[in-house]
Amino acid sequence: MLRALTSVLRLPRPWRPLQTRSCASDGAAEDPEIQVRALAGPDQGITEILMNRPSARNALGNVLVRELLDALAQLREDQQVRVLLFRSAVKGVFCAGADLKEREQMSEAEVGIFVQRLRGLMNEIASSAVMGLIETTRGLLPGAGGTQRLPRCLGVALAKELIFTGRRLSGAQAQALGLVNHTVPQNEEGNAAYHRARALAQEILPQVDIASGMAIEGICYAQNIPTQDRLEGMAAFREKRPPRFVGK
């Protein structure tokens, strides 16, 4: 499957995984659980992150989360990356959610540390991805930010209903609620969602080039330099206290 995808996407170089530990979350020696590829030709500027943990249906375990955070940190410094797609290298699966089998073996302290990292990961994905993860509760209280993001998307009442019931939504139901932007009929290859996400990425790609984006950022930041609030923010950081902004 992976060789076929490499051929279809016309990579300028062989598929090269990130330099992370090439071991699965269960300790077995396997391929890296996160793999990165940059598209070429008219798709240059689009980069894909592929989740590759078939033994656990891409469940979010320690290794997958660590490798994904490493990938995002590297891509954040790559000025050639303009659109980021999340997808699965496992046929018929996107992400099963949290790896509860692995979490059951963690100590209370380890769970706290892992969930904190998971929250950071979800924030990164929410701010950078065209096709991102939808957190599922599986009947448990969400611990990776779902109690905060869901009410902001749907309102408090409906968010409570979905969290307390652990209800599973179809794609059409998720779209009707505004949780996802698009739903598509599945094709024979099982990758219809990927093709829709890639088409959206191609639509986004020409809108703002890196040079123009940096120029816009520079103009916006220049407006912030002479403000009192900028100085107050830096002073608050230095003094380890909440800032007192005045809007000037």
Side-chain angles (χ1 to χ4, degrees):
M1 175 183 176
L2 301 184
R3 287 195 297 271
L5 283 173
T6 301
S7 174
V8 169
L9 297 179
R10 307 183 302 283
L11 293 180
R13 56 185 180 275
W15 185 344
R16 180 169 54 87
L18 291 171
Q19 298 303 311
T20 54
R21 287 177 56 192
S22 56
C23 58
S25 293
D26 57 11
E30 295 183 4
D31 292 335
E33 297 181 4
I34 292 296
Q35 298 168 326
V36 177
R37 64 166 56 146
L39 305 192
D43 292 334
Q44 186 171 357
I46 300 174
T47 294
E48 297 180 345
I49 289 182
L50 294 97
M51 295 174 287
N52 184 42
R53 194 186 175 203
S55 62
R57 297 174 62 84
N58 291 339
L60 298 172
N62 259 316
V63 171
L64 190 146
V65 169
R66 185 188 66 247
E67 292 185 359
L68 187 46
L69 286 168
D70 288 346
L72 291 170
Q74 293 182 38
L75 292 172
R76 195 182 301 114
E77 303 301 322
D78 188 345
Q79 295 189 1
Q80 302 303 312
V81 177
R82 291 159 58 191
V83 185
L84 189 59
L85 287 177
F86 282 81
R87 60 178 305 201
S88 173
V90 182
K91 188 173 182 180
V93 173
F94 182 59
C95 175
D99 188 339
L100 299 184
K101 292 181 180 179
E102 181 181 274
R103 192 175 298 183
E104 189 178 15
Q105 306 303 315
M106 297 179 183
S107 67
E108 291 184 6
E110 289 171 334
V111 169
I113 294 171
F114 178 75
V115 170
Q116 187 65 31
R117 294 173 64 211
L118 197 54
R119 289 193 190 109
L121 172 61
M122 291 298 179
N123 288 335
E124 287 276 355
I125 290 173
S127 65
S128 63
V130 169
M131 188 173 70
L133 301 175
I134 298 176
E135 186 175 346
T136 58
T137 66
R138 291 185 173 186
L140 301 176
L141 179 68
T147 62
Q148 301 304 305
R149 283 188 291 271
L150 199 58
R152 285 165 169 77
C153 291
L154 302 179
V156 174
L158 186 52
K160 283 183 177 181
E161 179 180 330
L162 293 178
I163 290 172
F164 294 160
T165 63
R167 184 181 305 146
R168 297 193 176 200
L169 302 177
S170 67
Q173 289 172 322
Q175 185 184 29
L177 292 174
L179 286 173
V180 298
N181 291 356
H182 306 279
T183 58
V184 291
Q186 188 58 281
N187 57 20
E188 292 183 1
E189 292 77 20
N191 59 2
Y194 164 66
H195 285 295
R196 180 66 188 93
R198 185 169 167 185
L200 179 57
Q202 291 166 339
E203 186 178 350
I204 294 171
L205 191 59
Q207 299 306 314
V208 180
D209 61 88
I210 289 295
S212 298
M214 296 295 283
I216 293 170
E217 178 184 291
I219 292 171
C220 293
Y221 189 74
Q223 295 174 349
N224 182 59
I225 290 175
T227 63
Q228 295 178 26
D229 282 349
R230 183 182 74 91
L231 298 176
E232 166 62 16
M234 291 188 293
F237 176 79
R238 183 182 66 254
E239 297 166 9
K240 295 181 173 56
R241 60 171 174 79
R244 295 184 289 270
F245 296 129
V246 296
K248 296 181 181 181

